[in-house]
Amino acid sequence: LGIRSKTEISARVIEAAQRLLAVGCFCIGTDQVDLEAATRHGVAVFNAPFSNTRSVAELTIAEVVMLARGAVQRSMDLHAGRWKKSSDGCIEVRQKTIGIVGYGHIGPQVGLLAEALGMRVVFHDIVKKLPLGNARQVGSLDELLRISHFVTLHVPESPLTRGMIGREQIALMPVGSFLLNLSRGTVVDLVALRHAIVSGHLAGAAIDVFPQEPKSSSEPFVSELCGLQNVILTPHIGGSTEEAQRNIGIEVSESLIRYVDTGSSSGCVNLPEVELPLLRDSHRVLNIHKDVPGVLSRINGLVAAMGVNIQSQYLKTRNGVGYLIMDVERSLSRAVKKQIEALDTNIRTRLLF
């Protein structure tokens, strides 16, 4: 099943879809899929986490420059017939510090582009990361906020990141600095952000994601930030480029095809990631089971009792389930599948010829 970001796959849907092998989310997130239910029923879920990294990074850097020059407000003034030519509040980004919160797929790309403009790059992540270029990892979020002229957020939505930038965190940022959020709408307290901009503590902001977003173009958009000067608002378009959309199509399609044809679960967000090269003169048994002690021993015992030769085998566990790939001789592969399916730990078993 292939879906886009607005299609919701609930537990009820997954329970009713008895023959569903996998869900491909042709987007970045998987929030619209009940991952717990999918895991419980042995349904693999794939997305495209790498496909839009460059697109988001480019928009981030473009907005950094536009904020530094107040260019959006000046454009709006001209559209309204007002000629306001002034250098007040306009700065170069060269030799300024950009603080990147979240150094996963997008953060390093932002850092490299910023460095090419002559910016100093620091980043904060909850785990130790290898810096690219001359970027430097700082010890805490508070430290990053205190030393950055521009703070840009690139974190996933999780209990740790919801509301992570509020009044206290914004107060740590230097007077005249800028905040950018191209991650998830729940990360920033927009009421606190509005107060900081109206009071003059922050010189501007760029927001691409919001806590509540219209479900279609016909619905009105409402936000605390509407009407504020030097605030760039974009309708969740960080990854909306032709190149990113093409990459999403290719990346998710390839993941689905590999999973169906070979059992490879590389890039799966809910099941264990398992991959083995295909062998000639064998059939492949794919077993998703409850992660309880002794499962592999029981399966190997069954296979041994049948006198079946195992040519290759790999097992990995995750989220309470185990995923076993086992290549066996062709003549007895159907019998092996039947025996494994009869185990009380079995969730789903497939056989590839």
Side-chain angles (χ1 to χ4, degrees), residues 67 89 91 148-150 173-179 196 200-204 230:
L67 287 172
I91 60 174
S148 300
H149 299 97
F150 298 86
M173 298 174 62
V175 174
S177 58
F178 303 87
L179 178 67
H201 181 75
L202 294 186
N230 209 25

Side-chain angles (χ1 to χ4, degrees), residues 177-324:
S177 58
F178 303 87
L179 178 67
L180 298 89
N181 184 21
L182 289 88
S183 58
R184 289 291 181 263
T186 58
V187 174
V188 177
D189 181 343
L190 295 187
V191 174
L193 178 58
R194 176 185 175 85
H195 180 268
I197 293 172
V198 171
S199 67
H201 181 75
L202 294 186
I207 306 296
D208 184 53
V209 289
F210 304 88
Q212 289 84 37
E213 298 180 356
K215 296 185 181 300
S216 68
S217 300
S218 61
E219 293 186 16
F221 169 71
V222 178
S223 173
E224 296 87 344
L225 304 180
C226 289
L228 296 184
Q229 290 196 0
N230 209 25
V231 173
I232 302 173
L233 303 179
T234 49
H236 205 149
I237 59 169
S240 297
T241 62
E242 293 181 3
E243 293 86 351
Q245 297 305 305
R246 180 177 184 274
N247 291 337
I248 287 173
I250 293 172
E251 189 174 332
V252 178
S253 296
E254 288 180 344
S255 295
L256 288 174
I257 291 169
R258 283 197 306 270
Y259 183 70
V260 172
D261 288 352
T262 72
S264 169
S265 56
S266 293
C268 182
V269 300
N270 64 320
L271 297 181
E273 294 191 53
V274 179
E275 186 165 7
L276 276 180
L278 286 174
L279 298 178
R280 293 183 178 180
D281 302 322
S282 67
H283 287 170
R284 173 159 288 182
V285 180
L286 308 169
N287 172 245
I288 301 172
H289 55 263
K290 299 172 186 175
D291 181 20
V292 296
V295 175
L296 185 59
S297 297
R298 292 178 65 187
I299 291 176
N300 285 340
L302 290 173
V303 174
M306 298 171 64
V308 177
N309 180 42
I310 299 176
Q311 296 182 336
S312 64
Q313 186 182 68
Y314 189 75
L315 169 68
K316 198 169 184 180
T317 60
R318 177 185 182 187
N319 296 334
V321 299
Y323 184 31
L324 172 67

Side-chain angles (χ1 to χ4, degrees), residues 52-176:
N52 75 343
T53 55
R54 179 69 183 197
S55 298
V56 177
E58 286 187 1
L59 182 60
T60 300
I61 294 301
E63 291 183 336
V64 165
V65 175
M66 296 293 276
L67 287 172
R69 300 298 297 273
V72 172
Q73 186 60 43
R74 283 162 171 77
S75 175
M76 293 173 64
D77 286 338
L78 285 182
H79 279 290
R82 299 186 295 268
W83 182 270
K84 294 184 177 180
K85 182 179 179 181
S86 172
S87 61
D88 291 345
C90 295
I91 60 174
E92 292 184 353
V93 300
R94 182 178 52 172
Q95 296 185 346
K96 303 302 188 296
T97 299
I98 183 169
I100 302 170
V101 182
Y103 204 69
H105 304 318
I106 297 170
Q109 294 276 329
V110 173
L112 290 175
L113 292 175
E115 194 173 302
L117 292 176
M119 302 185 76
R120 293 184 292 268
V121 180
V122 297
F123 68 91
H124 169 68
D125 201 287
I126 58 174
V127 297
K128 188 72 175 176
K129 293 292 183 71
L130 177 67
L132 296 185
N134 294 315
R136 176 173 62 89
Q137 185 166 9
V138 296
S140 68
L141 175 62
D142 288 359
E143 180 183 353
L144 179 143
L145 294 173
R146 289 190 180 99
I147 64 176
S148 300
H149 299 97
F150 298 86
V151 174
T152 180
L153 309 173
H154 301 284
V155 296
E157 183 173 31
S158 73
L160 289 175
T161 62
R162 292 189 192 105
M164 70 181 298
I165 303 297
R167 187 180 297 270
E168 292 181 5
Q169 290 73 32
I170 293 174
L172 296 176
M173 298 174 62
V175 174

Side-chain angles (χ1 to χ4, degrees), residues 10-20 34 37-38 40-41 43:
S10 65
R12 182 167 173 255
V13 171
I14 292 171
E15 289 165 3
Q18 297 297 316
R19 299 180 62 193
L20 181 61
D34 189 322
R40 194 167 59 247
H41 288 80
V43 177

